[in-house]
Amino acid sequence: MRSAASTSERRELDQRVVCECGHVVYDGEVIRARCVHPESGTAKCRCKRWVAVPVGLIRSAG
């Protein structure tokens, strides 16, 4: 039987985005890049490549 922690860890590992250079651009929670294009869903890696990442815009209720 699997615990809830192992299930959430597995989900997080499935969502990781790693660039060709080996840098983790998205770790399942945070996009680790300074430049992000939300319209195209890409983020710029340290090696200057544009990598596809899951981007969701949150709209405030105000």
Side-chain angles (χ1 to χ4, degrees):
M1 183 172 177
R2 292 186 182 179
S3 67
S6 65
T7 305
S8 65
E9 288 173 8
R10 176 167 296 209
R11 214 175 292 135
E12 184 176 314
L13 289 175
D14 292 343
Q15 294 179 353
R16 280 182 45 180
V17 175
V18 181
C19 180
E20 292 176 14
C21 70
H23 181 247
V24 178
V25 180
Y26 178 70
D27 65 1
E29 256 184 65
V30 178
I31 297 174
R32 301 193 179 276
R34 291 185 181 191
C35 299
V36 178
H37 284 179
E39 296 87 19
S40 63
T42 57
K44 197 170 195 178
C45 181
R46 289 188 285 189
C47 69
K48 308 298 187 234
R49 287 186 184 103
W50 287 98
V51 181
V53 293
V55 177
L57 298 175
I58 300 173
R59 302 200 184 258
S60 63

